[in-house]
């Protein structure tokens, strides 16, 4: 059974079955572990090859198919299912330490896939939000110095961030108008 702290976020389905993904929330942060459940319900007698879940980042300047940061094989098959069989399985995905922050340039999602032998696979996509607590600490520190971050961009695949700062009016003559974090 799925813990009560988790809620179903999305489902994918076709004539072969239904795949549900349950998570504790929709916002996660860098260097965390995302814990959730997938629940597969067979709508027919099937031979299932595997069930997998992955954490994917889509960056406007990165690869179009996204970058998979972590992939978990939740259950390896093959095994046979009967119509109406329900299989709930827990999973954990590791979030990398230098993640890009969700925004207009970066989109994150959790993808689930049920690979069915000789039939149409079932997939499910859950959009999530990603935070970076390290960048938030830098923003807080700069705010206490009264420097405002006007723009903050990440490089594809995280790890590097580029920011433009707006100093207070009395310090505009200094050369700290833009910087590399």
């Amino acid at each position: 059974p799925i813990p009560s702290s988790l809620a179903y976020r999305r489902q994918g389905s076709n004539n072969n079955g239904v795949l549900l993904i349950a998570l504790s929330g929709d916002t996660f942060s860098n260097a965390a572990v995302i814990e959730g459940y997938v629940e597969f319900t067979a709508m027919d007698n099937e031979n299932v090859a595997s069930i997998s879940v992955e954490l994917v980042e889509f960056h406007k300047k990165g690869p179009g198919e996204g970058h998979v940061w972590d992939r978990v094989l939740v259950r390896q098959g093959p095994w046979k299912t009967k119509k109406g069989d329900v299989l709930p399985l827990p999973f954990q995905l590791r979030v990398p330490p230098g993640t890009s922050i969700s925004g207009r340039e970066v989109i994150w999602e959790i993808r689930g896939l049920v690979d069915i032998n000789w039939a149409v696979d079932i997939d499910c996509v859950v959009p999530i939000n990603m935070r970076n607590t390290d960048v938030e600490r830098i923003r807080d520190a700069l705010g206490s110095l009264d420097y405002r971050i006007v723009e903050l961009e990440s490089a594809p695949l995280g790890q590097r961030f580029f920011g433009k700062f707006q100093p207070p009016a009395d310090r505009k003559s200094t050369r700290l108008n833009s910087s590399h974090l």
Side-chain angles (χ1 to χ4, degrees), residues 50-62:
S50 65
I51 299 176
S52 61
V53 178
E54 53 192 22
L55 176 65
V56 184
E57 171 193 5
F58 292 92
H59 195 288
K60 186 169 101 175
K61 298 175 186 170

Side-chain angles (χ1 to χ4, degrees), residues 1-8 20-23 36-39 87-90:
I2 295 178
S4 61
S5 63
L6 301 178
Y8 289 114
L20 298 166
I21 296 180
L23 300 167
Y37 264 78
V38 293
E39 182 178 281
L87 181 64
L89 299 163

Side-chain angles (χ1 to χ4, degrees), residues 57-62 69 97-108 130-132 135 139 149 151-164 179-181:
E57 171 193 5
F58 292 92
H59 195 288
K60 186 169 101 175
K61 298 175 186 170
W69 281 103
T99 58
S100 298
I101 302 164
S102 294
R104 62 178 199 256
E105 290 190 347
V106 181
I107 297 170
W108 287 84
M130 191 62 66
R131 296 175 47 216
N132 188 312
V135 171
R139 278 185 171 160
I149 296 179
E151 192 176 309
L152 185 65
E153 294 181 14
S154 64
L157 308 181
Q159 313 300 324
R160 287 183 298 160
F161 298 88
F162 302 93
K164 292 185 181 177
S179 182
H180 175 75
L181 295 177

